[in-house]
Amino acid sequence: MNTDKTLLKPEGELSLRCPASGAAANMFGDVYGGWVASQAVLAAEIRAGEAAEGRVATVSIGAMSFMAPVLEGTILSFYTRIKEQGTSSLRINVEVWGCCPDGRDLRKVSETECVQVAIDGHGHIRALDFGQ
């Protein structure tokens, strides 16, 4: 991975993009980390649901460290990359990137890893079918 911040770019597929609203901000105007984490999980679920061609459930969420504060109005982009495919589960890396509403100052905000499991209509674990 390149450590030169001027050359850093998101890795993976854009799965979710949304503004950080005032409803999710504390009294200083910073968005709660828990809200950002919930959106990262949603992005992982979207990617896993597409790959699994159906319903998925979150099994685990990795640690998140924040590299920059998220201010109200920041446009957040969640990039996902499938790191590993199991018989019924997917390990997905989620990168969170933020930029000002005018599109300037893109920066990496956080990163985490989620594990999603494919489930059937009754909530039971099911095997993934990747066209084999």
Side-chain angles (χ1 to χ4, degrees):
M1 183 159 116
N2 189 342
T3 57
D4 181 358
K5 290 187 179 190
T6 61
L7 299 177
L8 282 180
K9 293 189 181 192
E11 290 184 24
E13 176 181 301
L14 179 62
S15 296
L16 180 65
R17 190 165 188 234
C18 60
S21 72
N26 64 22
M27 65 183 181
F28 300 106
D30 297 324
V31 174
Y32 292 110
W35 182 84
V36 176
S38 71
Q39 300 306 301
V41 171
L42 179 58
E45 289 173 344
I46 290 169
R47 181 69 182 272
E50 291 171 352
E53 297 181 344
R55 190 173 169 192
V56 296
T58 302
V59 175
S60 69
I61 305 162
M64 284 184 85
S65 296
F66 288 85
M67 300 156 204
V70 177
L71 302 174
E72 179 181 345
T74 300
I75 305 298
L76 295 175
S77 298
F78 298 81
Y79 291 86
T80 58
R81 181 171 40 91
I82 297 173
K83 291 179 72 174
E84 185 179 345
Q85 298 175 1
T87 304
S88 61
S89 64
L90 297 159
R91 182 182 311 257
I92 299 176
N93 188 70
V94 182
E95 289 187 4
V96 184
W97 289 74
C99 68
C100 298
D102 63 8
R104 294 180 298 136
D105 195 28
L106 180 67
R107 68 193 182 287
K108 188 172 183 179
V109 172
S110 189
E111 184 174 6
T112 191
E113 186 175 279
C114 298
V115 177
Q116 307 289 330
V117 66
I119 56 176
D120 63 21
H122 301 289
H124 299 115
I125 295 173
R126 67 176 172 85
L128 293 170
D129 179 17
F130 292 107
Q132 298 171 338

